[in-house]
Amino acid sequence: MTAVSETDLILNDDGSVYHLNLLPHEVADTIITVGDQDRVAEVSKYFDAVEFKKGKREFVTHTGRIGSKRITVISTGIGTDNVDIVLNELDALVNVDLATRTVNAHPKQLNIIRIGTSGTVQPDIPVDSLLISEAAIGLDALMHYYHQQASPQNKALLNAFKDALPANVAPLPYVTEADAALLAFFGRGHTHGITVTAPGFYAPQGRQVRAVTAWPQLLPVLQSFNYQSRRITNIEMETAGIYGLATALGHRPVSCNVILANRINQVFSKQPLRVMDNYIRQILERLQDVD
């Protein structure tokens, strides 16, 4: 089997992967991703035991256990460019023999659960609720650099979304989806919807402070989109990249969005830290029963 070159997969002097600074035994089969590096400790404080704590750049990792369940929580930073690094290096840790640089004959499948914040684009979805992304539309460019196999249903959804875009809009979107089993498991009792992943926080999400947005109709387009009774529910910056790349690598993703803002009603959470902590505990309780 052909070895992966040392410029395609860069390793540190201790054999750890380049950006995450992790070794294979330091990663669990169940991964929680968070954007904010400070949120890693807010998750791991509920572990019964913490085995490893490592950090490099914005990538902070804690691995530990709740009961018999081994879990890794890692910060990705903001945006799908960082998701590209995190998911590729996590996959290399479990599916590449780093000593020989050869791909393992029997790939391992990870459960990847995102816990992140988001804003809803629907007036009826309340602030401080939890929303699970059944699918994600990427307005970023990440998955255009990877081979994808979209289902006929997702191709139709993508074409409908493209038709809804104004003629002068530049993004070339893509569509990805959650793992069906994890969606059903974490989605019980919570709103499901289509998430839009934006390549930025301000104008790419319909905000304007001083620089003038080139797409002032973005939020109305997202709010009004409807395809076969499916609607866009929220907007953030990582989910489509996680879904697309995790699926391409053979892993099982799901994204849990803590809704801190209602962009249509212009309301922001009054207690974001408390709300996030509440949902972290709920998700960890469910996570213990995931195969």
Side-chain angles (χ1 to χ4, degrees):
M1 186 177 294
T2 303
V4 180
S5 81
E6 63 181 28
T7 57
D8 283 344
L9 178 59
I10 304 169
L11 302 179
N12 298 313
D13 290 342
D14 64 353
S16 62
V17 290
Y18 184 61
H19 298 92
L20 303 187
N21 199 34
L22 295 174
L23 294 164
H25 69 279
E26 296 170 334
V27 176
D29 294 348
T30 296
I31 309 289
I32 295 173
T33 70
V34 297
D36 183 355
Q37 58 187 324
D38 292 336
R39 194 174 299 140
V40 173
E42 295 303 308
V43 175
S44 69
K45 71 183 182 183
Y46 293 113
F47 291 0
D48 295 327
V50 176
E51 301 171 12
F52 301 102
K53 290 184 178 182
K54 278 195 170 181
K56 185 179 180 183
R57 305 187 189 190
E58 61 265 61
F59 308 116
V60 174
T61 304
H62 294 180
T63 294
R65 294 181 183 273
I66 299 178
S68 61
K69 185 75 172 181
R70 193 164 186 252
I71 302 168
T72 291
V73 55
I74 185 168
S75 59
T76 62
I78 299 174
T80 59
D81 51 347
N82 281 0
V83 166
D84 181 57
I85 291 171
V86 172
L87 264 64
N88 273 295
E89 293 193 4
L90 286 173
D91 180 77
L93 286 165
V94 299
N95 286 321
V96 177
D97 183 327
L98 300 185
T100 64
R101 294 181 168 276
T102 55
V103 176
N104 297 336
H106 303 289
K108 180 178 286 188
Q109 187 178 64
L110 300 173
N111 293 318
I112 301 173
I113 298 96
R114 171 186 177 268
I115 303 177
T117 60
S118 185
T120 181
V121 296
Q122 298 297 338
D124 61 301
I125 295 178
V127 167
D128 297 340
S129 62
L130 186 68
L131 185 147
I132 313 300
S133 304
E134 64 186 47
I137 297 174
L139 300 183
D140 63 295
L142 177 62
M143 290 311 299
H144 296 304
Y145 292 89
Y146 292 96
H147 179 71
Q148 304 173 74
Q149 288 197 349
S151 67
Q153 181 182 18
N154 280 345
K155 288 180 180 178
L157 172 63
L158 179 59
N159 288 333
F161 181 72
K162 288 178 179 177
D163 290 343
L165 297 178
N168 64 333
V169 170
L172 182 62
Y174 62 91
V175 172
T176 61
E177 60 188 356
D179 175 79
L182 290 183
L183 175 64
F185 189 84
F186 285 98
R188 293 196 312 266
H190 298 296
T191 301
H192 298 189
I194 300 170
T195 296
V196 165
T197 295
F201 185 79
Y202 285 92
Q205 293 191 40
R207 293 181 171 92
Q208 182 171 299
V209 181
R210 282 194 353 99
V212 178
T213 177
W215 190 2
Q217 66 273 53
L218 171 61
L219 292 182
V221 167
L222 300 184
Q223 180 190 355
S224 62
F225 178 77
N226 188 295
Y227 174 71
Q228 295 185 348
S229 299
R230 300 176 70 191
R231 62 178 183 166
I232 292 169
T233 49
N234 62 306
I235 186 167
E236 47 74 84
M237 293 181 63
E238 289 90 33
T239 296
I242 291 173
Y243 280 12
L245 192 49
T247 301
L249 292 166
H251 303 302
R252 303 170 63 203
V254 70
S255 179
C256 305
N257 303 270
V258 178
I259 301 298
L260 295 185
N262 188 301
R263 300 297 310 285
I264 306 305
N265 298 336
Q266 298 185 345
V267 174
F268 191 81
S269 175
K270 299 296 189 295
Q271 47 187 0
L273 297 180
R274 182 181 299 178
V275 171
M276 174 59 75
D277 184 67
N278 175 55
Y279 287 124
I280 286 172
R281 288 187 284 107
Q282 287 189 31
I283 292 165
L284 287 175
E285 288 174 5
R286 291 196 183 187
L287 189 57
Q288 296 175 63
D289 297 324
V290 173
D291 294 331

